[in-house]
Amino acid sequence: MEQQVLIVHPSGDMIVEIGNLLEKLHKTKGYDLHWQGAKTRKAAEAQASSERVDLIITALEIAADEKSPLGAGEQCRLGIALVKTLRSKASKVVRAIIISHHIDDELAEFTRLPATDWAKEGGGFAGSLMSAAERLLGAPQPDNPPCVLSISLSRDKDRCKYQFQEVGAMPHTACPLSIDVKALERLIEKTSRLHVKEACWEAEFKEIGEDLERALFEKPENFLFRDALNQWIGNRKGIANIKVRFTVDDTLHPLAVEAVKGPGSVPAWNLETTIYRGLEPLGGGPGLARPSLFTDGATIKGPLNFLIIAANVQPNTKVEFGGQNVKFDPLENLESEVNEIATLLWNLKKTNGCPIGKLRIVGSPEGSRLNKLKDLVEVDLPDSGSLKGLVQDTLQKAGKWHIVHYVGHTYYDSDNQVGYMILPNGTQANQAQPIKIAEFALWLSQADTRLVFLSSCSSAGQDFIYHLAKERVPAIMGFLWEVLDAPAREYAKRFYQSLLDGRHNSLEYACLAAKRQMEARDHDNPIWASPVLVMQVS
């Protein structure tokens, strides 16, 4: 999708240099960018009044008009004011990069706002600007993704199939895949070990992808699939223009399908295109009672209501499952995550064009300091300390909550194949109220919830995500294995910003954009490889 960029700088040579850097982004990353330049605030506002602006790149120090002095100084620090003016008049979020030789308190505070970044002028300017642009633009997204590749994996060999579907057209006939189930079982075992070998996680992740490639493409029986995929990739000018959707059965869902790479020289797909999971078998299955986010008229227009559940527990909390006591301790960084997510959403809500409606936090007594957020959003803490009733009433009786962000413990009882949300019970010391997935999912359906983001030390358990998805929740975001709190919070923030600031209106592309940004920020941290997106399809 073409992005309109406005470059504002007192130097015409700098405008051309920045334009050349945008052209480089187009050639190397695939961004479709069209730019115009202006030297003053007045000229920039005139251009913005007649042309859409998706991204503004402006020097901090610009003159008001052609008659104003060109020298530096407080009278010329109009870049921030220009961005604020453009945002106040725009119908959608305008992303902004401020260029300056140094960052002071005013600029630092401004660049903490959503959809805002800073590039250092001087040495290293090209890298600084291009990195900021990639962070704000997210992953390149076609106007109309031309095709979806669905791959169905099962222990029942007759259910292993692949299928292509062009957007707006009927799907092609599903074709059989020959899969070695034993090979998939070995890959599941490798996946389960990823979180305990963090030092070599990337090599193991890559190895899983290469093994999955062999399982999908190297058997002679699957050469037709390999050749068909290569043809689609050639026709669509790369894998980036093909969405990849995996469906898995009850026993194969722990497999790290997100690690998959293409046949032969085709690179790993994780940072190149959208990869997501589904549950319905190819060509069948009952429809959903409610669609996923941004796939119907109600949610694509907004407003979207956002509920944060802060479910902390007391120290040494124990819950009995099948005669065994399981211990849960407080989540030390729960308040920090809730604070940062709520602040981000509030800033996005204030940004013209962002579709956020109501913001609410329901929290536990251990998170009572969340009261300080009341100036930003509605905060509701249970008087008795028991959170279950408050969560249930909020979801069942307080209107629609399209997005639910859960910060707390989860637990999966593998013996009985039942998952639980662990909600604190303040009426009894060191105890909690486990809520079965099925019950929680019923509340979500009554709240018209379209997306659940699981930020939990155990949400990475694919079992938990899979069984919540089986309860017909339209979309779920979780993690493949345990990740550190700080990068997990950062990923969540980048995901929500990409999802809600008007760039994508797509869960898959927001997930991809956040992964790409986290990988660019810290390649060695496994956070960029860990996200799991499950989306139902009707």
Side-chain angles (χ1 to χ4, degrees):
M1 182 170 62
E2 184 178 75
Q3 304 283 317
Q4 300 288 341
V5 184
L6 177 59
I7 304 170
V8 188
H9 200 285
S11 167
D13 290 340
M14 278 296 295
I15 292 175
V16 173
E17 179 181 342
I18 294 169
N20 290 336
L21 293 175
L22 296 179
E23 180 64 23
K24 185 176 180 180
L25 278 176
H26 167 68
K27 292 179 178 178
T28 60
K29 301 291 185 178
Y31 293 102
D32 188 2
L33 304 172
H34 175 74
W35 65 271
Q36 298 184 74
K39 292 185 177 181
T40 67
R41 176 180 179 178
K42 182 178 181 180
E45 290 180 354
Q47 289 197 20
S49 66
S50 58
E51 297 283 347
R52 185 185 84 244
V53 176
D54 300 304
L55 169 65
I56 178 171
I57 302 173
T58 178
L60 175 63
E61 296 183 349
I62 57 174
D65 52 43
E66 293 181 354
K67 297 180 181 179
S68 301
L70 296 178
E74 290 299 320
Q75 72 275 14
C76 294
R77 288 172 56 93
L78 299 178
I80 292 176
L82 171 62
V83 173
K84 291 180 178 178
T85 299
L86 265 56
R87 285 178 170 172
S88 68
K89 297 179 179 180
S91 60
K92 61 177 291 185
V93 176
V94 177
R95 302 182 291 285
I97 299 173
I98 307 294
I99 300 170
S100 178
H101 286 284
H102 68 281
I103 188 164
D104 56 19
D105 291 344
E106 180 190 16
L107 183 55
E109 181 179 358
F110 186 68
T111 54
R112 281 193 286 269
L113 294 174
T116 312
D117 216 319
W118 171 65
K120 179 178 174 57
E121 193 164 6
F125 171 69
S128 177
L129 178 71
M130 292 174 70
S131 294
E134 283 195 71
R135 287 193 293 271
L136 292 183
L137 292 170
Q141 178 182 354
D143 286 322
N144 292 298
C147 112
V148 176
L149 166 61
S150 294
I151 301 173
S152 184
L153 300 177
S154 172
R155 289 179 186 271
D156 180 353
K157 294 183 179 181
D158 292 336
R159 292 173 58 196
C160 294
K161 299 178 181 181
Y162 71 91
Q163 186 177 44
F164 290 96
Q165 180 176 6
E166 296 170 282
V167 170
M170 292 295 292
H172 292 217
T173 302
C175 299
L177 275 174
S178 178
I179 299 295
D180 182 350
V181 174
K182 294 293 185 183
L184 296 185
E185 290 174 349
R186 290 192 293 271
L187 290 179
I188 290 174
E189 185 179 347
K190 284 185 178 181
T191 301
S192 69
R193 295 197 303 262
L194 274 169
H195 69 284
V196 296
K197 294 184 178 180
E198 191 168 328
C200 57
W201 73 268
E202 187 179 1
E204 291 190 352
F205 191 72
K206 181 179 179 181
E207 186 178 292
I208 290 172
E210 292 170 346
D211 289 348
L212 189 52
E213 173 202 358
R214 285 189 282 272
L216 292 173
F217 304 114
E218 288 196 357
K219 274 191 171 186
E221 300 95 312
N222 293 338
F223 283 177
L224 285 176
F225 176 36
R226 180 198 63 190
D227 295 342
L229 177 58
N230 283 329
Q231 184 175 354
W232 280 83
I233 289 173
N235 292 340
R236 267 57 184 180
K237 299 180 181 179
I239 189 63
N241 290 324
I242 300 176
K243 294 183 177 183
V244 181
R245 174 179 177 266
F246 280 93
T247 63
V248 290
D249 69 10
D250 282 14
T251 58
L252 296 181
H253 65 267
L255 175 63
V257 295
E258 291 76 14
V260 66
K261 74 178 294 291
S265 60
V266 177
W269 294 345
N270 195 270
L271 296 173
E272 299 295 324
T273 190
T274 65
I275 300 176
Y276 60 102
R277 301 184 182 212
L279 297 182
E280 299 299 343
L282 295 183
L288 281 175
R290 59 196 191 280
S292 195
L293 208 62
F294 297 132
T295 60
D296 67 328
T299 59
I300 202 167
K301 293 179 181 178
L304 302 175
N305 299 329
F306 203 110
L307 177 67
I308 301 175
I309 301 174
N312 219 341
V313 296
Q314 297 179 11
N316 299 311
T317 292
K318 294 181 180 180
V319 181
E320 183 178 328
F321 297 99
Q324 178 183 1
N325 281 328
V326 179
K327 180 182 175 183
F328 299 95
D329 284 321
L331 299 172
E332 296 180 0
N333 297 305
L334 178 141
E335 288 186 25
S336 297
E337 175 169 346
V338 173
N339 195 333
E340 291 182 26
I341 296 294
T343 302
L344 169 74
L345 294 171
W346 176 252
N347 285 328
L348 279 170
K349 181 179 172 68
K350 291 192 300 180
T351 304
N352 196 30
C354 185
I356 294 179
K358 293 190 296 183
L359 292 173
R360 186 173 181 182
I361 301 169
V362 293
S364 59
E366 290 70 28
S368 58
R369 283 179 289 173
L370 298 177
N371 270 313
K372 65 184 179 182
L373 292 173
K374 283 192 172 181
D375 291 339
L376 301 181
V377 301
E378 183 180 355
V379 179
D380 201 346
L381 305 176
D383 295 332
S384 66
S386 175
L387 190 57
K388 177 182 177 180
L390 179 57
V391 171
Q392 183 176 3
D393 285 348
T394 302
L395 290 172
Q396 289 185 323
K397 302 175 182 178
K400 296 183 177 182
W401 298 102
H402 303 100
I403 303 174
V404 173
H405 185 93
Y406 176 81
V407 192
H409 288 287
T410 57
Y411 179 79
Y412 186 76
D413 180 355
S414 57
D415 291 337
N416 297 298
Q417 296 187 345
V418 179
Y420 298 89
M421 324 289 287
I422 309 301
L423 303 184
N425 183 0
T427 60
Q428 301 181 48
N430 310 118
Q431 292 191 20
Q433 293 177 297
I435 309 302
K436 289 183 178 181
I437 282 179
E439 185 176 8
F440 183 64
L442 176 62
W443 302 348
L444 295 173
S445 68
Q446 293 168 319
D448 195 28
T449 300
R450 310 299 183 89
L451 169 67
V452 175
F453 193 118
L454 293 170
S455 183
S456 162
C457 63
S458 299
S459 75
Q462 299 94 314
D463 290 324
F464 191 91
I465 297 173
Y466 182 78
H467 284 270
L468 181 57
K470 286 185 71 174
E471 294 295 335
R472 317 297 290 165
V473 176
I476 303 158
M477 174 65 73
F479 295 106
L480 191 62
W481 63 87
E482 285 190 31
V483 291
L484 297 175
D485 287 347
R489 287 199 307 273
E490 187 63 27
Y491 173 82
K493 289 161 59 180
R494 291 175 183 270
F495 169 75
Y496 284 133
Q497 183 161 326
S498 295
L499 182 69
L500 299 168
D501 72 358
R503 276 181 287 183
H504 299 298
N505 282 358
S506 161
L507 290 169
E508 313 100 292
Y509 282 103
C511 177
L512 176 60
K515 286 195 293 186
R516 286 166 58 95
Q517 292 171 30
M518 295 304 293
E519 190 273 341
R521 181 176 182 263
D522 186 0
H523 175 83
D524 294 331
N525 193 298
I527 183 64
W528 61 265
S530 181
V532 173
L533 175 62
V534 180
M535 291 200 308
Q536 307 280 9
V537 292
S538 59

